[in-house]
Amino acid sequence: MEIRVIGLNHKRAPVEVRERMAVPDAKLPEALDGLAMPEAVILSTCNRVEIYATAEDARERAESFLSERHGLEPDSLRPYLYEHRGIDAVRHLFRVAAGLDSLVVGETQILSQVKTAYQTAHSFGRTGRILNSLFQNALRAAKRVHSETGIAEKNVSVSSVAAGLAEKIFQDLAARTTLVIGAGETGELTLQALRDRGVGRVLVANRTLERARAVVEKSGGEAHELSALPELLPRSDIVISCVATEGILLHVPLLREALRARRNAPMFLIDIAVPRNIEPEVNALDNIYLFNIDDLESIVNQNRKERGRELERCEPIIESEAYGFLRQVEHVDVAALVSQLRSHLQAVGDEELERALGRLGELSPKQKEELDHMVHRMVYKVLHSPTTALREEAENGRIENLSHLLKRLFRLT
Amino acid sequence: MTLLLLHGGLAAYALSTVLGILAVRRDDRRLLQGARAAAVVAVLAHAALIAVRGLGEGRFPVDNLHDAFLFLATGLALGALILDTWRGMPVLTIGAVPVATAAVLLAAGLQSGGTAPPGFWIDAHVLATLAAFCSFALGFVAAVLFLLERQQLKSHARSALLGFMPSLEGLYRIVFRSVWVGVVLLTAGILMGYLYARSLPQTGNEWRMDPKVLMTTATWLAYVIVLTMGLVPSCRGRRTAIGAAVCFVFVAATLWVGIFWSDFHKFL
């Protein structure tokens, strides 16, 4: 039974095709029924739709399912589809789960999406021994990649870098107050990244109170006018400034005063405005950490390069996990095949023994026992070489052909 | 057996130091796990050594200079490993292990110099003082790491070390609490030593001018100043961390004085 994956992703298919193929979580059970395969998992995210299966005709079924479901001709769909089999399919899933095949390499959200896809298929009885083992191993491989390399730690967007730096300064973001000065898009994104990491209270100060209120409505918090800054700063641990203005908004004296009022508790200032809103000299104040847009972008660029280097360290882990999984599956297959062979030969031996005993007439119990032992010994000796060869081939990952041949020779199912 | 434990532990510390440095230089989490594992082996070996000696010879496990340095190394590495596991601060282990290695090297090269007289108060005095030194050593490691991380954040430098660092706030808490716990323990240690010295009938007042007693008092005073700095808002952060790092010189000097110049503390 060979593992196959048929699907399309952000590398092969444009967003127009991907969005038509997407299967929402709520429709997964229905889609799994539509596939009509004994073992199948559907992984559908904004960047990929993939069907993992073990059926021989998986490609045909997947193609017809996708084209029928989305009202497309199979021919028009075919150029976007890829198929991987055996070790390639295993390697592909392991890379997907680890985020190595993602648009943003190393992102970790895909891991929970793979987990959900598997759990859904499992709960609807669509996974058997092979796919259960495959997905459990994929989740394990992804965790290994994340823990043994730094691939998931190198943020590659300005907002996530800023949020990551906040975690380098403050121990507990939930207890922190963030002040957003200006209600621009980058400011909102940075605030969202901080929110995702559990930042607590939010204050928004803007030239117009209405716009500040609009931001607060989406993310919660308090809305203020810019004139309230001297009162807001002492309450703020993290300040994101992104006001389109010619002048400096936060000067050294203002921040020195804020620090004094805060009893010198640290402040993290993020100036993502151009021209800058925060006087650069404030970075010289003790317990103030200032980063401007250039600082953040240089970290982003460095992280991109480092992710590229980390990628090289991830691939050997994927390879070792993929081959480890195959060996594990083949070991189970070999054990089952050996057991089948032994039962088959033993049944033949028992049948012949029965027949011989009938023809030989009266025998003593000792003679019967000796004949029985002889048949057992013959079965064992006949099977010894094939069993050893099977195990050796499995060790070398070449079990498929030999197993197929043995099944044909002995008419095993 | 004891030699095997001593040198096996020392080799594990050395391995942990090398793996820790490589983990930071190469930004490699697997090497970090190796460094941790080697540190655990070292701590277990030396804890076993201290226990075996104490139980085997039927005495308090720490009663000479050799034992004292071994105790310091084990206490420091154990404290760092506990905080590493509890708070997810691997960099503490990486920072503590080289200091522990240096202490064990000193222990391996030291002659015992005599043993402490038996008695509950002297044992309690030794234990409290050494535990205080362990706490100061942990504070020293955390303070150095705090200053390194602060410098990197201030200069916007990006290094692999920053990736291993916990939050500045978390490190600062360890610095302050280590100093706080150390001062309490050292106060208790000094008081118990004083009571013990007073209880000896044949001893006069000359112990008061013993170099080690004077140096320990100076250490206590220095750390009390650092503790006070930590409570003053304008000194919170960098200044307190510098204080905790610099004052470790007093701990080193106290131990040094004990080795060469102290008549009353030849054993420790």
Side-chain angles (χ1 to χ4, degrees):
Chain A
M1 214 186 297
E2 198 173 36
I3 296 164
R4 289 148 201 258
V5 53
I6 300 100
L8 48 86
N9 64 11
H10 58 95
K11 293 175 190 164
R12 287 283 289 260
V15 66
E16 302 82 51
V17 177
R18 294 202 311 270
E19 65 192 10
R20 286 186 75 175
M21 293 296 123
V23 184
D25 283 354
K27 302 240 167 133
L28 273 176
E30 182 193 319
L32 285 166
D33 278 343
L35 268 173
M37 287 194 259
E39 274 202 81
V41 174
I42 300 174
L43 174 64
S44 177
T45 71
C46 45
N47 285 322
R48 69 185 65 247
V49 178
E50 290 175 338
I51 295 164
Y52 292 86
T54 52
E56 295 273 323
D57 57 351
R59 171 139 196 157
E60 293 73 30
R61 288 201 203 194
E63 267 185 22
S64 75
F65 163 77
L66 288 170
S67 53
E68 274 171 29
R69 184 177 166 83
H70 303 287
L72 285 170
E73 282 300 313
D75 285 345
S76 64
L77 185 62
R78 217 158 276 143
Y80 303 118
L81 287 181
Y82 49 79
E83 181 186 8
H84 301 297
R85 293 176 177 203
I87 182 73
D88 293 333
V90 175
R91 191 186 289 123
H92 177 79
L93 175 61
F94 286 15
R95 293 187 86 254
V96 167
L100 306 185
D101 199 51
S102 296
L103 189 61
V104 178
V105 175
E107 57 101 1
T108 51
Q109 199 189 358
I110 186 71
L111 182 58
S112 60
Q113 290 168 326
V114 169
K115 197 173 178 182
T116 307
Y118 163 61
Q119 282 170 343
T120 307
H122 183 67
S123 64
F124 284 91
R126 293 291 174 178
T127 55
R129 180 176 69 85
I130 302 282
L131 286 192
N132 278 334
S133 180
L134 174 70
F135 275 82
Q136 282 157 13
N137 276 271
L139 299 176
R140 199 188 66 180
K143 283 175 190 159
R144 224 190 114 189
V145 165
H146 294 161
S147 66
E148 290 181 18
T149 73
I151 191 94
E153 285 168 20
K154 314 283 182 196
N155 296 312
V156 287
S157 70
V158 166
S159 52
S160 55
V161 162
L165 285 168
E167 285 180 330
K168 290 284 168 205
I169 296 166
F170 302 107
Q171 190 167 23
D172 179 15
L173 286 185
R176 301 296 154 198
T177 300
T178 302
L179 167 65
V180 182
I181 309 173
E185 192 189 346
T186 323
E188 273 192 68
L189 280 173
T190 311
L191 176 61
Q192 189 52 49
L194 284 164
R195 276 271 196 218
D196 291 346
R197 292 179 191 224
V199 83
R201 203 179 168 84
V202 173
L203 311 170
V204 178
N206 197 45
R207 258 196 226 104
T208 58
L209 195 57
E210 289 71 33
R211 177 75 187 120
R213 282 191 179 132
V215 174
V216 163
E217 262 174 37
K218 274 190 268 176
S219 60
E222 294 172 24
H224 296 272
E225 286 185 346
L226 278 185
S227 56
L229 278 180
E231 292 85 55
L232 297 177
L233 283 170
R235 292 165 59 194
S236 311
D237 303 294
I238 302 165
V239 179
I240 306 164
S241 187
C242 49
V243 181
T245 178
E246 283 297 313
I248 295 282
L249 278 175
L250 305 183
H251 296 272
V252 171
L254 184 63
L255 283 157
R256 191 176 281 138
E257 189 54 34
L259 268 180
R260 199 188 57 76
R262 290 168 56 77
R263 297 172 63 82
N264 225 23
M267 288 179 86
F268 177 36
L269 310 183
I270 308 159
D271 187 357
I272 42 184
V274 179
R276 287 175 290 181
N277 294 161
I278 305 175
E279 197 176 358
E281 285 71 27
V282 303
N283 195 41
L285 295 175
D286 240 3
N287 291 338
I288 283 199
Y289 302 90
L290 168 67
F291 283 76
N292 65 33
I293 189 75
D294 282 356
D295 303 325
L296 296 174
E297 276 179 353
S298 83
I299 296 173
V300 166
N301 289 335
Q302 196 180 337
N303 282 356
R304 283 212 176 101
K305 283 183 207 155
E306 283 174 13
R307 275 201 179 191
R309 282 199 293 271
E310 287 295 308
L311 202 54
E312 290 168 19
R313 289 167 53 192
C314 299
E315 297 299 349
I317 298 174
I318 295 291
E319 282 301 294
S320 106
E321 287 288 331
Y323 278 100
F325 163 74
L326 276 192
R327 272 196 296 275
Q328 185 185 321
V329 169
E330 282 165 358
H331 181 76
V332 175
D333 284 349
V334 166
L337 186 58
V338 168
S339 161
Q340 256 186 311
L341 266 174
R342 184 162 292 141
S343 306
H344 176 74
L345 291 187
Q346 194 60 56
V348 172
D350 287 347
E351 201 181 308
E352 289 304 314
L353 178 65
E354 199 66 31
R355 196 172 295 155
L357 287 174
R359 283 200 294 264
L360 287 169
E362 198 60 36
L363 292 174
S364 69
K366 197 166 184 319
Q367 286 170 321
K368 280 183 184 172
E369 194 183 337
E370 188 50 44
L371 279 173
D372 193 38
H373 281 162
M374 185 189 76
V375 170
H376 271 90
R377 279 197 302 275
M378 278 176 68
V379 168
Y380 176 80
K381 283 185 175 170
V382 166
L383 272 179
H384 180 71
S385 296
T387 309
T388 311
L390 265 174
R391 292 211 166 102
E392 279 170 6
E393 292 297 293
E395 283 292 312
N396 297 321
R398 297 190 301 254
I399 183 72
E400 194 76 19
N401 292 339
L402 188 57
S403 141
H404 189 66
L405 184 66
L406 278 171
K407 281 179 182 171
R408 274 196 68 189
L409 286 174
F410 289 94
R411 295 181 189 280
L412 301 173
T413 52
Chain B
M1 176 69 173
T2 53
L3 266 182
L4 181 71
L5 286 172
L6 176 68
H7 291 118
L10 180 57
Y13 272 131
L15 178 66
S16 177
T17 304
V18 172
L19 290 176
I21 293 167
L22 287 176
V24 172
R25 284 183 68 91
R26 295 184 186 172
D27 195 6
D28 192 327
R29 288 333 191 235
R30 278 175 301 174
L31 290 173
L32 175 71
Q33 283 166 9
R36 271 179 178 151
V40 170
V41 170
V43 166
L44 289 176
H46 287 168
L49 176 59
I50 292 169
V52 163
R53 273 196 192 150
L55 292 171
E57 294 170 21
R59 60 167 171 85
F60 184 65
V62 184
D63 81 340
N64 59 48
L65 275 169
H66 174 90
D67 291 349
F69 275 89
L70 209 56
F71 183 90
L72 270 178
T74 311
L76 169 63
L78 182 65
L81 278 167
I82 289 171
L83 282 169
D84 175 358
T85 313
W86 184 33
R87 293 279 179 196
M89 295 183 174
V91 78
L92 265 187
T93 304
I94 297 174
V97 162
V99 181
T101 310
V104 177
L105 277 171
L106 270 171
L110 278 174
Q111 297 300 314
S112 72
T115 52
F120 173 79
W121 287 111
I122 190 77
D123 291 345
H125 160 67
V126 167
L127 198 63
T129 308
L130 284 178
F133 288 174
C134 286
S135 193
F136 291 145
L138 196 60
F140 164 75
V141 170
V144 170
L145 292 169
F146 173 90
L147 292 168
L148 273 174
E149 184 173 17
R150 181 190 172 279
Q151 191 273 332
Q152 296 217 329
L153 285 168
K154 279 280 187 191
S155 63
H156 306 144
R158 279 294 290 168
S159 72
L161 179 65
L162 194 61
F164 285 87
M165 288 287 194
S167 66
L168 273 177
E169 206 175 36
L171 278 175
Y172 182 70
R173 278 184 192 169
I174 291 176
V175 173
F176 185 73
R177 286 174 189 176
S178 300
V179 171
W180 192 87
V181 170
V183 166
V184 170
L185 287 168
L186 190 57
T187 309
I190 289 171
L191 280 175
M192 285 186 277
Y194 173 77
L195 290 173
Y196 172 74
R198 287 282 302 257
S199 71
L200 295 175
Q202 70 278 24
T203 312
N205 281 335
E206 59 272 26
W207 61 269
R208 289 171 194 253
M209 295 312 288
D210 179 64
K212 179 129 182 179
V213 172
L214 293 175
M215 208 55 227
T216 307
T217 311
T219 304
W220 179 84
L221 201 61
Y223 275 102
V224 167
I225 293 169
V226 175
L227 190 62
T228 314
M229 282 167 72
L231 298 170
V232 176
S234 60
C235 294
R236 200 176 285 164
R238 182 177 61 96
R239 288 176 193 170
T240 305
I242 289 174
V246 169
C247 281
F248 193 61
V249 171
F250 283 88
V251 175
T254 306
L255 293 165
W256 190 257
V257 162
I259 298 170
F260 295 108
W261 291 317
S262 175
D263 290 333
F264 283 88
H265 288 85
K266 274 288 178 211
F267 57 95
L268 198 65

